[in-house]
Amino acid sequence: QVQLVESGGGSVQAGGSLRLSCAASGRTFSTYAMGWFRQAPGKEREFVATIFWSGGSTYYADSVKGRFTISRDNAKKTVYLQMNSLKPEDTAAYYCAASRSYYGTVAVKYDYWGQGTQVTVSS
């Protein structure tokens, strides 16, 4: 069982930066692939970024590539999402997710989810 708690959300102006954190409980964090997803009001949850259990491989949605960076610290059981050059269209609730056996972009294939943290970007 893995419990995930996101933090670091807030309100920023366009062009600004935020770093989201996702702290995990459980002894097997280092064996899970981790992902970040987001959901804006009235829209479906969408993939943002994912990182392999070792941190050796990452993958990003085209909409955030070059602006966002996912990373993890297995010793601290934490995954991060550094968000730079934020745009108003990045406004959403951001969720981290963990998968025991899947590394990819499909939300339903992730096993555990956090409660989300809100990011609001004003123009």
Side-chain angles (χ1 to χ4, degrees):
Q1 188 77 9
V2 175
Q3 291 184 327
L4 306 172
V5 179
E6 301 97 333
S7 62
S11 297
V12 295
Q13 290 190 330
S17 299
L18 284 173
R19 187 175 84 153
L20 306 184
S21 299
C22 174
S25 64
R27 295 182 294 175
T28 57
F29 172 78
S30 62
T31 66
Y32 285 71
M34 300 296 296
W36 284 98
F37 292 78
R38 66 187 182 186
Q39 188 167 17
K43 295 187 177 181
E44 294 188 353
R45 190 167 298 190
E46 66 172 354
F47 167 76
V48 175
T50 186
I51 186 165
F52 199 53
W53 66 270
S54 65
S57 179
T58 58
Y59 185 75
Y60 297 90
D62 287 343
S63 58
V64 307
K65 200 173 296 182
R67 301 187 297 121
F68 290 11
T69 302
I70 189 171
S71 61
R72 67 190 295 163
D73 185 333
N74 285 343
K76 294 183 178 180
K77 297 182 182 179
T78 301
V79 63
Y80 304 97
L81 185 68
Q82 177 67 45
M83 305 186 295
N84 298 328
S85 302
L86 283 161
K87 304 175 181 180
E89 51 263 44
D90 295 318
T91 295
Y94 283 71
Y95 299 87
C96 72
S99 172
R100 290 170 296 202
S101 58
Y102 176 73
Y103 170 66
T105 66
V106 180
V108 295
K109 293 192 176 183
Y110 282 77
D111 303 297
Y112 304 102
W113 290 84
Q115 83 290 347
T117 187
Q118 180 67 33
V119 171
T120 303
V121 184
S122 58
S123 57

